Amino acid sequence: MFKSNKALWDKRTDIHVDSDFYDMESFKKGRNALKSFELEILGDVNAKTILHLQCHFGQDTLSLARMGANVTGLDFSENAIEKARLISKEMHIQASFVCCNVLEMDQYITDKFDLVFASYGICGWLPDLEQWGKLIADRIVEGGRFVIVDFHPVLWMFDDDFKYSYFNKELIAEEPEHTYTDKTSKVMLKSFSWNHSISEIISALIKAGLTLKRFNEYDYSPYECFNNLVEFEEGKYQVKGMEGKLPMVYALEFIK
Ligand SMILES: C[S@@+](CC[C@H](N)C(=O)[O-])C[C@H]1O[C@@H](n2cnc3c(N)ncnc32)[C@H](O)[C@@H]1O
């Protein structure tokens, strides 16, 4: 399943790098790719050491570096990590990148960090959050933080038939035709994912020894990456017909 997901993300990366969604042109001119939800919780990251999990092709990683952090990005897609390294070099932004499965990161990274961070499209790719929580806790210095901002698991229940459980009851095997940046793209590769309820995510991190400091839920998405969204304010999206009724993003901050 990881092999299939890796192939999917390798293919998506080529489409994403050139997409309007990721808008490399404005990023190169200095746009910070991080959104207000995570910027508020992350606070001042200047001179902090950060491990950025599932960093994709590195826009958020390099944004953290531009904010003064000493960042390591991690992703299992070789194509994404290759692109991240190229962009980092081309833009003269110092950051390190590691290519590995996040669930095997202890074999590749032994340093501890002030902050471990992950955002938007994270837990759904992972079958085992207890193992994930433990690996994260092991990478944080005493007093350091883990921050995750992700799409709310309630959203993953919905496809056209509302067929998926909110709870982690089944493997979700799909073959999505498009990627989220381009509804005309033809990706057509298998994807394997898992729904994790908020309580499962929080419990995994508490079980790993971390202390929950902050839990926020938001009724809009800063990304236009689902069908049938309306932009009710610039850069803020809600589901048409369900405006203000659904949790769309959550944020968690833990302390070690
Ligand atoms: C939606 S993206 C993350 C969002 C990212 N913040 C961005 O720039 O859009 C999901 C990333 O998770 C990575 N990924 C999925 N499963 C993984 C795993 N088991 N280990 C490491 N990376 C994984 C994918 O390669 C992909 O780059």
Side-chain angles (χ1 to χ4, degrees):
M1 287 184 275
F2 287 135
K3 209 170 153 194
S4 293
N5 284 347
K6 256 171 81 157
L8 176 82
W9 281 104
D10 279 341
K11 190 153 180 189
R12 281 183 167 183
T13 300
D14 283 332
I15 300 169
H16 292 183
V17 170
D18 293 330
S19 67
D20 291 343
F21 185 96
Y22 280 100
D23 189 5
M24 275 306 294
E25 199 180 320
S26 68
F27 180 72
K28 285 185 180 171
K29 289 185 186 147
R31 176 177 61 82
N32 190 329
L34 297 163
K35 303 295 186 188
S36 61
F37 298 151
E38 54 268 27
L39 284 170
E40 189 207 324
I41 296 176
L42 291 171
D44 182 5
V45 296
N46 188 34
K48 299 274 188 243
T49 56
I50 302 182
L51 175 60
H52 179 208
L53 303 177
Q54 292 173 243
C55 67
H56 202 25
F57 65 91
Q59 275 200 352
D60 290 356
T61 323
L62 297 173
S63 295
L64 290 164
R66 285 205 279 220
M67 290 164 71
N70 183 350
V71 202
T72 301
L74 177 156
D75 202 283
F76 74 172
S77 157
E78 273 135 36
N79 194 16
I81 289 296
E82 195 181 306
K83 298 276 186 309
R85 287 186 178 133
L86 275 175
I87 297 165
S88 154
K89 196 168 165 201
E90 190 189 316
M91 294 180 64
H92 307 288
I93 305 172
Q94 178 58 43
S96 308
F97 290 96
V98 176
C99 188
C100 71
N101 189 326
V102 68
L103 296 177
E104 293 172 353
M105 66 175 155
D106 54 334
Q107 295 169 34
Y108 296 82
I109 304 176
T110 49
D111 288 346
K112 289 187 188 282
F113 298 81
D114 299 320
L115 173 72
V116 176
F117 171 63
S119 67
Y120 301 106
I122 300 302
C123 296
W125 299 105
L126 309 174
D128 183 348
L129 292 192
E130 286 202 4
Q131 185 192 356
W132 172 76
K134 191 176 172 329
L135 289 166
I136 288 170
D138 285 347
R139 298 276 62 79
I140 306 175
V141 297
E142 288 298 323
R145 300 186 294 154
F146 173 57
V147 172
I148 179 165
V149 181
D150 205 345
F151 296 111
H152 202 289
V154 156
L155 291 183
W156 305 127
M157 295 162 64
F158 298 104
D159 74 340
D160 291 346
D161 304 318
F162 305 100
K163 72 176 176 199
Y164 297 118
S165 169
Y166 172 71
F167 298 99
N168 185 7
K169 292 195 170 171
E170 65 209 327
L171 167 69
I172 299 170
E174 295 171 316
E175 196 163 321
E177 196 176 342
H178 317 300
T179 179
Y180 53 86
T181 61
D182 182 355
K183 304 284 180 241
T184 62
S185 60
K186 291 265 179 267
V187 179
M188 307 293 279
L189 287 174
K190 284 200 171 64
S191 126
F192 295 97
S193 58
W194 297 264
N195 280 356
H196 302 285
S197 62
I198 288 285
S199 62
E200 188 189 348
I201 299 164
I202 292 177
S203 300
L205 293 154
I206 290 176
K207 202 166 173 189
L210 302 179
T211 303
L212 179 60
K213 280 284 176 198
R214 188 162 14 183
F215 171 29
N216 295 340
E217 292 175 294
Y218 306 95
D219 68 1
Y220 67 90
S221 161
Y223 286 106
E224 190 181 13
C225 55
F226 304 103
N227 292 332
N228 298 316
L229 295 185
V230 280
E231 188 174 23
F232 68 100
E233 273 176 37
E234 201 188 334
K236 298 183 179 181
Y237 302 89
Q238 292 179 324
V239 179
K240 200 173 177 183
M242 295 289 279
E243 290 93 332
K245 294 182 179 169
L246 287 175
M248 296 193 70
V249 171
Y250 71 89
L252 293 168
E253 180 186 23
F254 288 85
I255 309 284
K256 178 161 170 179

